[in-house]
Amino acid sequence: MPTLTIDGRQIDSPDGSTVIQAAETLGIFIPRYCYHPGLSIAGNCRICLIEVEKNPKLQIACNTPVADGMVVHTSSVKADEGRRAVLEFLLANHPLDCPVCDQSGECDLQNFYMNFGLYDPRFREQKIKKKKAVAVGPHVMLDQERCILCSRCVRFTDEISKTGEFGIFNRGDRAEVGLYPGQQLDNPYSGNVVDICPVGALTDRDFRFKARVWYLSSAPTVCNGCAQGCNVDVHYVLDRPHLNDGARILRVKPRYNADVNQWWMCDEGRYGFGWIDKGRLTKVRRQGAGATWEQAVAGITEELTKVGERDPERGTCLRLGVIASPQLTNEELFLIREIFQRALGARVTASVPMPAGNSDNFLIRADKNPNTHGAALIGLTDATAPDAAAIVAETLEGQLDALWVFGYDLTKLVADEDLQRLSRSLRLFVFSGTNDNPTAGCSHWALPTAAYLEKEGTFVNAHGRVQRIGRAFPPLSDSREDWRVLLEIAGRLNLGFAWRSPEEIFQALARSVTPFAGLTYERIGLHGASLMTDASVAEVAVT
Amino acid sequence: MAVKVLRRRDLTVWEKLYIPQIASGLKVTTAHLLRNLLLHSAHRLGLLQNRRAAVTFQYPEELRPLAPRFRSRHRLTVRDDGTPRCVGCMLCETVCPAHCITIVAGEHPDPNVEKYPVRFDIDLGVCVYCGYCVEVCPEDAIRMDTGILDVAAYSRDAMKLDIHELMNPSLRKPLTACMLEFPHECRLAGGEVSTRDHQRRN
Ligand code: SF4
Ligand code: SF4
Ligand code: SF4
Ligand code: SF4
Ligand code: FES
């Protein structure tokens, strides 16, 4: 391993690594436009200039391999001057678009100019005009004048999405980024080019002009679009409801996680957040009329206490069916198991039919539920559990007297008339979910519950990785988190649970479900943790 | 926060006697009266023109001259094509210490302008007239040079200026007709975005 000195600090860096990587491990940031850790090295923007002792000229940090005894200065006067000159070239033809540019505020041209540009412009000639505001695909807008030709987007479409739509055409100051003839940037990962474009040349059409980036708050979470569970940050605004027609979420950006999604995410997840602000259930409803949470909890528990009792008319026990959902968190599924399956002896399932979606061998999974794996581990989808269709069939046959559905729309399984009939025949029919649907309309109690961004909890992705979803903002209007509702009902049923928060529920879950053994919220952290394999479980048991 | 107690100075014996204080007050008033009497008479005779005497303006019939940098009611400057010069960068909304500016941006039909406000409201009931919005604007799109001082209304709601009044300061509430030829959020259309001419974005 070569040992080199960067800004007076020594570091061992592996063979073949570059100075920019070595500096990064030391926590020294070297400016970059074309370098991206997920893409090949192009070395064309020259902003990463550094001074290497015994070398007459400045070198580019992104493509200079480390060597033994190398002495590097990343912010010497000479290096800074070199960068200033590079910026002057980059900005020579750059339009004065910052006021209308959506990148403004998170733009590396702006940032680096403020860090070491600060020159007075000397370019008096006419700037080259190129095409502005070209929709290159369903999600991305291109502004050729703002492009600094770093070629990150070209390398992304060549190397990551492997669709090759982008290219750089013409030469000199007429060089421009564009699509190959007849192409559209419509691959399933197209939104990523917006993230990697260091300037405002590629911007999001969905986010276009909706807000300025400095209005956005950010919260780390996990995409719930499919079983991959890509790590993301949601960007939202709560204090300016006039933006975006009052919707809180403005955009979703991938968050780096080496083990799950690296720097990327798919477009379906990136733009599929509309349901969190639109079409939500906002009020507790009883038979279609408004009610309060207190009434709902009291009314529902009263019926639930009768479960298991003998019905004097029919001479059989009253029975409950529960259709849970792999969209719920592990904590909630665990509560459902403890309350409904264990305490009330209900027929519980979390396997609901869902048509398999598109998939590929990169990120997108056919299973569009974020927590199928977790539901299986908690035992709500295994062979002993019925599936949703079976429970609905039993209900229609009159074997079940009460039914609780979590979020699922039963019209996907039965015809409308059957749903009506089912609703009339049941003593108790509860629907709890985030968005309105026909099942909510037919239920006796419709409970508005929090979307996944509005509650704490964990999901297990397809690779058996437990990830926390965090809580970006409080539940919408009158809705409540499912775990809170379940805990309240457990309290009324005198089940004696001492848990008060998802974290405490998770601790109980970790004690009770072996693969989760040894995990805590702290250990899961921001990047998730792999579930215990059988071997590591044994190890924990020994220590 | 620490509380600082300020004690009022005690009156001296001379001040407590009262009568001498009345006399000294009358002295000041009389001096002003005589000085203005003398100066105004002299001005009549064309003398002592360089010495100013106190005057009363018959406001609002007679307006006081305003200094050029005086900050009066806002206006939005207008392009030749009748659209606002504002590009909806929201810097004024960001800098406004009173949070009284509300902007929603839309797509301008000319890609070289790109962006403009479909909604631009200033709540003058909240504005502190600091002028930061004018100072921060990169486009010289908002100014406080209308000379309008009489900002008064019978309701808080009527203190809110929308894009119509901002682009045409001579308009006064209640607004009756909309003259703007570009899509904007129009109070006259119940706060909907009017699409009189161009299409709204998407
Ligand atoms: S790309 Fe950056 S520098 Fe260029 S207009 Fe946009 S914000 Fe300004
Ligand atoms: S569009 Fe953006 S990412 Fe692509 S070459 Fe230009 S600056 Fe780089
Ligand atoms: S004058 Fe000051 S308070 Fe009033 S709108 Fe402008 S920035 Fe806001
Ligand atoms: S600062 Fe100027 S250009 Fe920007 S939104 Fe305000 S008035 Fe419009
Ligand atoms: S980052 Fe090194 S040349 Fe672009």
Side-chain angles (χ1 to χ4, degrees), chain B residues 54-75:
Chain B
V55 284
T56 304
F57 280 93
Q58 298 302 318
Y59 187 85
E61 287 78 20
E62 195 188 342
L63 295 179
R64 254 182 101 185
L66 300 176
R69 54 177 224 178
F70 185 88
R71 297 193 293 269
S72 50
R73 212 194 84 178
H74 312 65
R75 72 181 170 109

Side-chain angles (χ1 to χ4, degrees), chain A residues 142 147-154 168 177 196-199 201-202:
Chain A
L142 166 68
C147 170
I148 57 166
L149 298 166
C150 71
S151 83
R152 273 189 188 180
C153 57
V154 179
I168 293 181
V177 147
I196 56 171
C197 180
V199 299
L202 296 171

Side-chain angles (χ1 to χ4, degrees), chain A residues 132-289:
Chain A
K132 298 186 81 68
V134 191
V136 285
H139 303 304
V140 181
M141 198 67 117
L142 166 68
D143 187 307
Q144 293 180 328
E145 287 183 355
R146 291 181 203 151
C147 170
I148 57 166
L149 298 166
C150 71
S151 83
R152 273 189 188 180
C153 57
V154 179
R155 280 173 284 146
F156 178 85
T157 52
D158 285 349
E159 298 161 15
I160 307 294
S161 71
K162 301 202 172 66
T163 43
E165 295 97 340
F166 272 137
I168 293 181
F169 305 94
N170 299 332
R171 305 207 309 187
D173 59 6
R174 263 169 237 95
E176 60 189 34
V177 147
L179 297 167
Y180 281 100
Q183 294 265 33
Q184 279 277 306
L185 186 72
D186 53 3
N187 68 65
Y189 297 95
S190 69
N192 291 297
V193 298
V194 175
D195 305 338
I196 56 171
C197 180
V199 299
L202 296 171
T203 50
D204 232 316
R205 289 180 71 185
D206 184 64
F207 180 66
R208 192 165 167 81
F209 300 161
K210 279 193 183 151
R212 301 317 307 255
V213 297
W214 52 86
Y215 290 169
L216 304 176
S217 309
S218 169
T221 185
V222 168
C223 176
N224 83 334
C226 81
Q228 177 77 11
C230 291
N231 288 210
V232 297
D233 282 322
V234 305
H235 292 175
Y236 60 95
V237 173
L238 300 183
D239 57 348
R240 295 178 198 267
H242 58 276
L243 302 170
N244 203 17
D245 297 329
R248 296 162 298 172
I249 304 179
L250 282 140
R251 62 178 188 184
V252 173
K253 290 273 180 193
R255 177 162 55 90
Y256 174 73
N257 186 331
D259 299 312
V260 182
N261 56 319
Q262 292 96 40
W263 300 266
W264 324 117
M265 73 181 295
C266 77
D267 289 355
E268 219 173 298
R270 186 188 294 263
Y271 303 110
F273 53 77
W275 62 275
I276 295 174
D277 285 308
K278 288 203 189 77
R280 287 286 295 271
L281 283 173
T282 50
K283 288 263 169 311
V284 179
R285 291 200 310 244
R286 174 183 201 167
Q287 312 278 16

Side-chain angles (χ1 to χ4, degrees), chain B residues 12-27:
Chain B
T12 60
V13 179
W14 181 248
E15 284 163 345
K16 280 186 188 158
L17 283 177
Y18 204 68
I19 305 291
Q21 291 299 308
I22 292 181
S24 72
L26 277 174
K27 198 178 91 192

Side-chain angles (χ1 to χ4, degrees), chain A residues 311-375:
Chain A
D311 184 350
E313 289 163 36
R314 285 190 325 203
T316 52
C317 289
L318 292 180
R319 294 189 66 201
L320 166 72
V322 175
I323 300 178
S325 151
Q327 302 266 344
L328 294 175
T329 64
N330 293 319
E331 289 76 359
E332 289 157 354
L333 292 170
F334 176 68
L335 280 181
I336 288 172
R337 186 186 84 174
E338 295 300 300
I339 299 173
F340 297 123
Q341 198 176 45
R342 303 246 159 123
L344 299 179
R347 302 270 285 155
V348 181
T349 183
S351 55
V352 291
M354 181 100 152
N358 55 325
S359 64
D360 58 21
N361 49 16
F362 183 34
L363 296 178
I364 304 174
R365 305 248 135 206
D367 176 7
K368 297 300 173 197
N369 286 310
N371 201 21
T372 310
H373 206 100

